[in-house]
């Protein structure tokens, strides 16, 4: 395994936003770009490489193929189709499951044994597909989960309280989608619970739900205005890759495998706070949920499992 070697599969807006972020941030020694459109990967390689004189460190960038996965430390999958108008989430999931299955089989043929980060949607389901098809230990396959949702939450809370986002400690949990939720009892401004901050400043408590509403609807608003979101998730993926490469032990709300009844769930990938090191998920950060929050998490999991049972499992096993 080559330390600092990252393979990106899918050179669309999300993948290349991540690549550009990593070029500016540093910490990656080698970046390999893989896409079904070979010409595009060559063009992206050239374009990124021309920025190297201004980058913080030397980075080898190249257009490659699945053989390059063999000694990579991290693989990021952003490939897949975007949801089309009128297309159901199940139809999207079925199409992307076929794509994920093919990609994962090609990765594993190379002998890869590092960490796979999945960002393709619906991300919790696609992470499950990659884990199942790859046969890798579940901690080595993680999804971007609610990392971006959590970043949006912290940004909006920061703006609301006029406090640096670095001092906002709060998480979005559950499915990366409309059924996500914020465990407000575990949300802090500095070291003070957010509900106490609301009371002390005479802020109406219903503003917290408005904040969550704005988080959930942020993507819809961006897509409505500019057709797609990619800078935020590109930065989030860059942070996630860095957490693995640098063995950071960072706490991030990734799509994580629950297997032993954690949060009352089993055999599912869902967005929960987890400690990320160079092996992927080191351990879950278990937090106490209220009855209502637990019901929201259960609902998120039910939605995902229903889609799996309808057709995803059949496609995996074909």
């Amino acid at each position: 395994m080559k330390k600092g070697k990252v393979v990106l599969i899918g050179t669309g807006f999300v993948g290349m936003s991540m690549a550009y972020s990593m070029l500016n941030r540093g910490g990656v020694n080698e970046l390999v770009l893989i896409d079904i459109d070979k010409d595009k990967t060559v063009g992206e390689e050239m374009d990124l490489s021309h920025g190297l004189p201004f980058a913080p460190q030397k980075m080898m960038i190249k257009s490659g193929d699945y053989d390059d996965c063999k000694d990579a430390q991290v693989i990021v999958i952003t490939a897949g189709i975007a949801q089309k108008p009128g297309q159901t989430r199940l139809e999207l999931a079925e199409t992307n499951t076929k794509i994920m299955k093919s990609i994962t089989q090609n990765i594993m043929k190379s002998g890869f044994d590092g960490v796979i980060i999945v960002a393709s949607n619906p991300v919790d389901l696609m992470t499950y597909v990659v884990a199942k098809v790859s046969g890798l230990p579940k901690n080595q396959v993680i999804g971007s989960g609610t990392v971006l949702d959590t970043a949006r939450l912290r940004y909006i809370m920061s703006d609301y309280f006029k406090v640096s986002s670095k001092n906002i400690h709060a998480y979005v949990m559950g499915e990366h989608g409309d059924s996500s939720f914020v465990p407000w009892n575990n949300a802090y401004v500095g070291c003070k619970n957010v509900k106490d901050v609301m009371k002390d400043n005479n802020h109406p408590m219903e503003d917290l739900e408005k904040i969550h509403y704005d988080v959930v609807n942020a993507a819809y608003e961006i897509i409505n205005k500019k057709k797609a979101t990619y800078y935020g998730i590109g930065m989030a993926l860059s942070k996630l890759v860095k957490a693995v490469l640098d063995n950071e032990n960072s706490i991030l709300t990734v799509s994580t495998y629950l297997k032993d009844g954690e949060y009352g769930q089993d055999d599912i990938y869902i967005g929960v706070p987890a400690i990320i090191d160079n092996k992927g998920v080191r351990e879950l950060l278990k937090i106490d949920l209220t009855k209502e929050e637990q019901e929201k998490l259960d609902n998120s999991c039910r939605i995902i499992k229903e889609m799996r049972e309808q057709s995803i499992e059949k496609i995996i096993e074909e």
Side-chain angles (χ1 to χ4, degrees):
M1 187 185 288
K2 274 195 193 171
K3 179 150 177 53
K5 179 175 179 179
V6 177
V7 173
L8 167 64
I9 301 173
T11 58
F13 282 126
V14 170
M16 294 317 300
S17 294
M18 179 199 78
Y20 182 65
S21 171
M22 292 194 304
L23 179 67
N24 281 283
R25 173 179 269 173
V28 175
N29 299 325
E30 184 177 347
L31 176 64
V32 180
L33 309 174
I34 298 175
D35 196 282
I36 199 162
D37 185 343
K38 301 282 187 192
D39 272 354
K40 186 172 192 305
T41 61
V42 173
E44 296 290 7
E45 172 204 325
M46 292 171 69
D47 200 4
L48 278 179
S49 297
H50 296 162
L52 279 167
F54 309 112
Q57 73 166 76
K58 184 180 175 185
M59 182 195 297
M60 180 182 166
I61 304 168
K62 72 168 202 171
S63 165
D65 54 40
Y66 286 102
D67 286 343
D68 290 294
C69 294
K70 180 175 177 147
D71 58 354
Q73 192 175 353
V74 180
I75 291 175
V76 182
I77 305 174
T78 62
I81 62 157
Q83 195 163 359
K84 297 184 176 78
Q87 186 181 41
T88 67
R89 281 188 83 226
L90 183 60
E91 288 167 343
L92 172 72
E94 287 171 345
T95 303
N96 278 344
T97 294
K98 290 168 187 167
I99 294 168
M100 290 303 113
K101 183 178 177 181
S102 171
I103 287 170
T104 307
Q105 287 170 335
N106 285 323
I107 290 170
M108 297 316 292
K109 276 179 201 161
S110 75
F112 174 77
D113 189 30
V115 173
I116 300 180
I117 297 169
V118 182
S120 309
N121 279 320
V123 70
D124 303 289
L125 258 178
M126 294 306 106
T127 308
Y128 174 83
V129 172
V130 172
K132 199 95 184 274
V133 175
S134 70
L136 286 168
K138 298 293 193 293
N139 65 291
Q140 287 176 225
V141 181
I142 54 182
S144 53
T146 50
V147 172
L148 176 58
D149 312 67
T150 295
R152 286 172 174 153
L153 172 67
R154 290 178 180 178
Y155 167 76
I156 293 168
M157 286 177 68
S158 162
D159 187 53
Y160 181 89
F161 291 110
K162 301 294 181 273
V163 170
S164 167
S165 58
K166 290 180 171 48
N167 298 115
I168 301 290
H169 309 289
Y171 303 106
V172 175
M173 291 176 61
E175 180 197 23
H176 173 57
D178 296 348
S179 69
S180 70
F181 66 95
V182 180
W184 290 113
N185 285 346
N186 295 282
Y188 295 86
V189 178
C191 57
K192 189 167 183 174
N193 185 275
V194 69
K195 290 184 176 178
D196 292 333
V197 176
M198 298 292 282
K199 280 179 200 160
D200 291 352
N201 290 278
N202 297 315
H203 293 310
M205 284 296 175
E206 49 268 30
D207 281 4
L208 293 180
E209 285 316 309
K210 169 72 167 59
I211 287 169
H212 179 240
Y213 175 85
D214 289 346
V215 169
V216 170
N217 284 278
Y220 296 118
E221 197 172 339
I222 295 166
I223 290 165
N224 188 42
K225 287 177 169 31
K226 57 170 272 189
K227 306 292 186 255
T229 74
Y230 36 90
Y231 296 133
I233 185 61
M235 290 284 284
L237 289 170
S238 174
K239 168 62 184 172
L240 196 39
V241 169
K242 186 174 182 294
V244 175
L245 295 183
D246 294 352
N247 197 27
E248 278 186 355
N249 293 295
S250 291
I251 297 169
L252 295 163
T253 48
V254 293
S255 191
T256 307
Y257 188 66
L258 307 183
K259 65 180 186 303
D260 295 320
E262 299 103 336
Y263 292 106
Q265 292 294 331
D266 196 57
D267 189 31
I268 191 163
Y269 272 91
I270 197 81
V272 296
I275 301 170
I276 307 301
D277 67 6
N278 60 4
K279 298 284 195 305
V281 172
R282 193 190 90 201
E283 63 181 271
L284 296 187
L285 185 74
K286 181 76 168 65
I287 62 175
D288 292 328
L289 301 179
T290 65
K291 184 171 178 287
E292 186 185 356
E293 288 162 358
Q294 183 63 52
E295 284 169 0
K296 287 178 179 175
L297 183 66
D298 292 343
N299 181 50
S300 265
C301 292
R302 181 184 53 75
I303 291 166
I304 293 165
K305 284 188 172 177
E306 279 177 2
M307 289 172 75
R308 258 168 47 183
E309 285 158 14
Q310 278 175 280
S311 55
I312 304 305
E313 295 283 9
K314 291 191 198 85
I315 297 169
I316 293 171
E317 285 157 22
E318 278 171 359

